[in-house]
Every structure is written in structure tokens, then in C-alpha cells.
Amino acid sequence: ASALCGIAQSQEMLVGARFLQGVGGAVTSAVILGMIVTMFPEPRDQAKAIGIYSFVAAAGASIGLLLGGVLTEALSWHWIFFVNLPIGVATAIAASRLVQNDDGIGLRKGADALGAVLITGALMLLVYTIVKPAADDGWGAPLTLGLGAASLALLAGFIAREATARTPLVPLRVFRNRNVSGANAVQALFVAGMFGMFFLGSLYLERVLGYGPLEIGLAFLPVALAIGILSVGFSERLIMRFGAKPVLLVGQVLIAGGLVLFALSPVQSSYLGDLLAPMLLLGLGAGLSFPSLMGLAMSSATEQDSGLASGLVNTSLQVGGALGLAVLATLSSTRTDSLLASGSSPDAALTGGFHLAFWVGAGLVTAAIAISTLVIRTAPALAEDEQLEEIEPELEGEPAYWEAA
């Protein structure tokens, strides 16, 4: 898929190849956390492994930003995809040699193809509705409302399908656990704000401040470095000392503060004076939030359910990022057009649109803080659940999450 992206000569071919990339990314990333839970059952080891996982992800992001800028300036954008080829080959060889094989149930019990079609169609239609009819015709336009209603109908059909399917894609029983449902809802909300910041922040640096690709990569480097340092050096100790929920709340407050500072930045910002502080706050907040949130989302997963829980974490991340970015970009574009029509300069209009998106992103993170406070349980409750799992006999059939008290 990366090779196809690199040789793409049209928008349609690039979008199709990116879709294939998404399929591959979904298959691989959905099982990583499940493997960590299975390989590291002890809480301390698991927290450390999840921290290292977050560090590797942050390192990849930082290297990607820098290398992407270098390749784009030195060669062309096509090479940001070609560089994935040797990385993919090396990763596949390492996984085949180092990761132990295990047996799954395969497809002998069937696959929920209809459920997959329903949820994929619902999300794709909803994103299209936000970025096209809502942006062009307005949120209250008949086409926007009609397509929005159709996407909600597909989502309702998916829920009904999962409640009755013999082998559901996502068994609804998993959402009875407050930590699983709360952690995934929190991740979707604050990732929506974070993803919007990266995308729209990059546009602000490019279109208002005149940064090039390499300069943009360097500008976001403090975020990735802060995530990496906290994830591998401190997150496991903080989580074991104070519990995952307090660490998560502190991280989310830092992220919300960083977004607010971005929203207050002037049109012609200086990097050291106006942008470095929010970059550091976002990096520190994400470095605290991601490991603790992943641990909470996987905390009640049995070995049999670890793949399902891992898939949910990945799904909430991708769905939150896609929908959040669609909403924030649409709001930003609409606000920019309104300011241009009222006589604002192009730079002021663009900055005003970006500021609105950052304020909305901060609001999404604030909602995530509220859910974390009210829904997610503290560490003592998790320890109690672990004791219950050792005492209670496991029901026959599909393994189940324990329902929160």
C-alpha cells in the first residue's frame, strides 16, 4: 500500500492506496496492546511495557515529522511513502523471529461481515457529511441533515446487529465495564482535540508564519520528545505510585491548558515566546495520559478478551481522530470564510479559524476530564476486580468483562 501511495499519480489512486494502508494498520495496531497484556500480566511490568509502547509511538512520530520534512524538501512527497518499505520489511522479519505464534479461533465460527459494513459505512458517511455538505451548505442544510440521519441509522443498525449476531464484531457486553467504556470515550474525545491541533497547527505554521516542511517538523519535536521521555522514564512509576486515574487527570488538564494557550496566541506568534510553552504542555499531558489511559482500557481484559479490548482502544483512537479532525477543520474553515467576508486580512482570518478549532478542542478535552472523573474508577476498585476474577468461575462460551459495581 505504501508503494502504491508513492507511485500514485491521481487523487483517486492515492485515496485508494491510503485505504489499503489503513486496513494494514488496523490489523497490526489492533493486536499490539492485547499482546502486551498477555505477555506482561503483572501490573508493574504491564505499565512499564505500555510506557515503552507509548515511547516507541512518540519516537516514530517525531522521526516521521522530521524525516518527512527532509524528504519532501530534498526529493518529493512521494518518498514519505517509499521510506515505509524497508521499515515494513524489517518489522515483518523481526516479528516473525521474535514474536511467539499463538492459535486463534479463525473463521470457523463465522465473521460479522455485515456488522463491519454497517459501522464502516456509518463512520465514512458521517465524516463525509461533516467535511462536505456541512462545510459547503451549512449544518442545518437539508442534505447535511439527511446524510447525518442516514449515518445515524447505519450506526443504529450496527448496534442492533451486534446485539443479535452469533459472532458479533464488537460484543456489547464489553461496555458494561465502566473502565473499558469510560477509557475509550475519554480517548476518543481528547484525541479529537489533539489530532486537530497537529493538523491545524501545521497549517497555521505553514500558511500564517511561513514555515517550511522541515521547520514544521522541528516545531512539533518538543511534543514528541516530552511524550517519549515521560512514557519511558516516569509514567510507570507515577501510575504505580498514584494510580492510573490521577495521572490521567493531570495529563488531561495539561493538554487542555496547552490548547487554550494555542487559542490565545497572536496572529504573528514567535515560537519561543508563544508556541513553545503550549507544545511542551501538550507533550507532557499526552505523555502522562496515553500510558495511563491504555492501562485503564486494558485493565479488565482477560487473556481471551485482550485482542477485543486492544481493538477497541485502536478504534476509539482512530474514530475520535477522524471525526474530531473533520469537525474542527470544518468549523475552522467556516470561521475563516466568515472573517474574510467581514473584511479581515487573510492571516487574521486564518488565525481566527484556527483559534476557534483550538477552543473547541479544549472543550472536548474538558468533556474527557469530566468523564474521567465521573465514570472511570480508581486503582482500589481495579484491584478489587482482579480479586473477583480469581474467585469467580469463568462462564462457558465467550469470556466476559466483569460489570462495574
Side-chain angles (χ1 to χ4, degrees):
S2 294
L4 290 176
C5 288
I7 64 175
Q9 299 298 320
S10 67
Q11 181 178 348
E12 292 77 14
M13 184 176 179
L14 180 60
V15 170
R18 291 286 286 168
F19 180 82
L20 291 179
Q21 268 192 324
V23 172
V27 171
T28 54
S29 61
V31 301
I32 294 175
L33 285 174
M35 293 171 62
I36 290 176
V37 170
T38 302
M39 298 169 66
F40 302 96
E42 294 298 324
R44 181 177 295 275
D45 293 337
Q46 191 175 116
K48 184 179 294 184
I50 290 176
I52 293 174
Y53 167 75
S54 300
F55 166 74
V56 172
S62 61
I63 294 173
L65 284 171
L66 289 172
L67 186 59
V70 172
L71 291 175
T72 300
E73 287 191 343
L75 299 172
S76 72
W77 65 266
H78 298 273
W79 284 92
I80 67 174
F81 296 107
F82 289 141
V83 74
N84 292 332
L85 299 181
I87 296 174
V89 172
T91 303
I93 294 174
S96 64
R97 294 183 177 181
L98 300 177
V99 178
Q100 184 178 0
N101 291 329
D102 57 352
D103 296 326
I105 63 173
L107 299 176
R108 60 180 179 271
K109 291 187 177 181
D112 187 14
L114 178 58
V117 171
L118 287 171
I119 188 61
T120 302
L123 295 175
M124 291 179 66
L125 183 58
L126 183 57
V127 170
Y128 173 79
T129 302
I130 294 171
V131 300
K132 191 61 177 176
D136 294 344
D137 305 323
W139 294 91
L143 181 59
T144 303
L145 296 176
L147 292 178
S151 65
L152 293 179
L154 289 173
L155 181 60
F158 169 74
I159 295 174
R161 168 66 181 176
E162 300 310 285
T164 58
R166 182 179 179 183
T167 54
L169 184 68
V170 181
L172 299 182
R173 58 178 169 74
V174 303
F175 297 107
R176 293 198 299 265
N177 182 279
R178 293 174 61 179
N179 273 11
V180 172
S181 56
N184 281 279
V186 166
Q187 177 164 259
L189 287 170
F190 94 78
V191 164
M194 287 283 293
F195 274 30
M197 183 279 300
F198 278 108
F199 178 75
L200 297 175
S202 298
L203 291 179
Y204 169 69
L205 294 174
E206 177 189 5
R207 300 178 65 180
V208 178
L209 300 185
Y211 283 29
L214 180 58
E215 293 172 309
I216 293 174
L218 290 172
F220 281 103
L221 184 59
V223 179
L225 290 178
I227 293 175
I229 292 171
L230 273 179
S231 297
V232 76
F234 300 97
S235 63
E236 174 258 334
R237 300 176 189 175
L238 293 172
I239 291 171
M240 297 306 299
R241 174 66 178 85
F242 300 104
K245 181 177 177 178
V247 174
L248 172 62
L249 289 172
V250 171
Q252 290 174 321
V253 170
L254 292 176
I255 291 173
L259 289 171
V260 168
L261 288 181
F262 262 118
L264 296 174
S265 60
V267 175
Q268 295 298 329
S269 300
S270 68
Y271 184 79
L272 293 179
D274 301 305
L275 301 181
L276 180 59
M279 292 282 189
L280 289 174
L281 285 177
L282 288 168
L284 293 172
L288 293 174
S289 298
F290 275 114
S292 54
L293 189 58
M294 291 176 186
L296 287 166
M298 301 295 295
S299 59
S300 300
T302 64
E303 181 176 349
Q304 293 86 351
D305 271 337
S306 60
L308 172 60
S310 177
L312 281 176
V313 171
N314 183 64
T315 300
S316 65
L317 188 150
Q318 297 298 328
V319 170
L323 292 179
L325 179 57
V327 171
L328 295 180
T330 300
L331 291 175
S332 176
S333 176
T334 302
R335 175 63 174 165
T336 297
D337 292 342
S338 175
L339 291 174
L340 286 173
S342 65
S344 297
S345 66
D347 285 350
L350 284 170
T351 304
F354 296 145
H355 282 176
L356 175 61
F358 295 147
W359 279 117
V360 174
L364 293 174
V365 177
T366 302
I369 293 173
I371 294 176
S372 300
T373 303
L374 299 174
V375 177
I376 293 178
R377 294 168 298 164
T378 55
L382 288 175
E384 183 180 353
D385 274 357
E386 291 173 359
Q387 294 174 5
L388 285 175
E389 288 182 1
E390 294 177 2
I391 297 173
E392 294 288 344
E394 189 174 9
L395 297 176
E396 293 185 1
E398 292 183 341
Y401 288 89
W402 294 105
E403 186 172 0

